[in-house]
Amino acid sequence: MSLTVDDELWSAVGDPIRRQLLDLLLAGGGGTATTLSQRLPVTRQAVAKHLGVLDRVGLVRATPSGRERRYQVDEAQLARAVAQLSSVGASWDARLRRIKQIAEAIERARES
Amino acid sequence: MSLTVDDELWSAVGDPIRRQLLDLLLAGGGGTATTLSQRLPVTRQAVAKHLGVLDRVGLVRATPSGRERRYQVDEAQLARAVAQLSSVGASWDARLRRIKQIAEAIERARES
DNA sequence: GAAGCGAGCAACCGATGGTTGCGCGTGCCG
DNA sequence: CGGCACGCGCAACCATCGGTTGCTCGCTTC
């Protein structure tokens, strides 16, 4: 029942803005800091910082082109992150079910 | 394809220490700030603060008893959180699959 | 009643997410 | 070709947050 989640990855997807960023990148097939910031309630610089951390953990890749810097999602990495995410969810789900069973067992014992 | 996750809940569960806290509470069937802090790499006060935020979002409940303050998980709420978590995971998973299909379609079109 | 333990409160520190302001390079267009 | 506009990066600054230390308060126990 490990909690051993890649902490970098988790905290990267932990931020709501970064989740929206990934979503926008997936939906639009890429984008730059400026274009993305127009669809978000934060400034370009904030978006740039977020793209920086997503880049560092490998969830996105940047390709400079002229004066622009186009980012796109590294799907394999994101798939890894999603897998970890759902594994944590699953482990808690399992534990909750176990707890519930125990509780019910106690309940039954008390009633009899 | 909403990203509309209860942000309070998500950020509460987002912190690794808080996840471990929930895990310990589930495993031990409850605990106090001091006992929990002994099993974690942080001080009692830090644990107390975390329990505070978990309490505010309703994931745990506290029952004062003498000079102690025993916390336990509100399983229904945690179940809600886990559900949201896995729903986000699932939505990304779905989107990734769609993107992949599109990519493969383009690939096929290019080859023909 | 005194000692000890659990909890709460306050001050402080470092990291982080956000902002504004600026300067630099690139690209477009008179 | 020269200038303007746009996209980006850098730096300074601010608020919030997670963490610590140090203290006080209150229950419990001897």
Side-chain angles (χ1 to χ4, degrees):
Chain A
M1 189 69 57
S2 73
L3 292 176
T4 329
V5 179
D6 185 331
D7 230 15
E8 289 276 319
L9 251 188
W10 180 283
S11 77
V13 253
D15 189 289
I17 296 278
R18 287 197 280 267
R19 285 201 300 280
Q20 292 185 51
L21 227 29
L22 288 171
D23 211 44
L24 285 173
L25 284 176
L26 280 178
T32 70
T34 350
T35 65
L36 290 168
S37 71
Q38 286 159 1
R39 319 207 162 208
L40 287 174
V42 295
T43 58
R44 173 185 64 84
Q45 287 81 347
V47 170
K49 286 189 189 176
H50 283 303
L51 287 173
V53 344
L54 288 176
D55 190 29
R56 265 192 295 284
V57 300
L59 281 174
V60 303
R61 285 189 326 271
T63 52
S65 140
R67 70 180 162 187
E68 286 191 348
R69 207 176 150 78
R70 166 151 263 97
Y71 285 88
Q72 54 186 23
V73 177
D74 184 327
E75 299 167 21
Q77 286 299 103
L78 180 55
R80 257 189 68 215
V82 169
Q84 290 199 354
L85 196 112
S86 58
S87 91
V88 170
S91 91
W92 273 349
D93 201 49
R95 173 155 284 171
L96 274 174
R97 249 196 295 277
R98 281 216 323 272
I99 300 282
K100 196 168 184 183
Q101 285 178 3
I102 293 173
E104 284 168 358
I106 292 174
E107 187 66 18
R108 268 193 302 277
R110 212 164 49 77
E111 280 174 356
S112 64
Chain B
M1 189 68 60
S2 73
L3 291 178
T4 328
V5 180
D6 184 331
D7 229 17
E8 290 274 320
L9 251 188
W10 179 284
S11 76
V13 177
D15 187 290
I17 295 279
R18 288 198 278 267
R19 285 200 301 279
Q20 292 184 50
L21 227 30
L22 288 172
D23 211 43
L24 285 174
L25 284 176
L26 279 179
T32 70
T34 343
T35 65
L36 290 168
S37 71
Q38 286 160 2
R39 319 207 161 206
L40 287 175
V42 295
T43 59
R44 173 184 64 83
Q45 286 80 349
V47 170
K49 287 188 189 176
H50 284 302
L51 287 173
V53 345
L54 289 176
D55 190 28
R56 264 192 294 283
V57 301
L59 282 174
V60 303
R61 284 188 326 271
T63 53
S65 140
R67 70 179 162 188
E68 287 191 345
R69 208 175 149 79
R70 166 152 264 95
Y71 285 89
Q72 53 185 23
V73 177
D74 185 326
E75 299 167 20
Q77 286 299 101
L78 181 53
R80 257 189 69 216
V82 169
Q84 289 199 353
L85 195 112
S86 57
S87 90
V88 171
S91 90
W92 272 350
D93 201 49
R95 175 157 283 170
L96 275 174
R97 251 197 294 278
R98 281 216 322 273
I99 300 282
K100 195 167 186 183
Q101 285 177 4
I102 294 173
E104 283 167 358
I106 292 174
E107 186 67 16
R108 269 194 300 278
R110 214 165 45 78
E111 280 173 355
S112 65

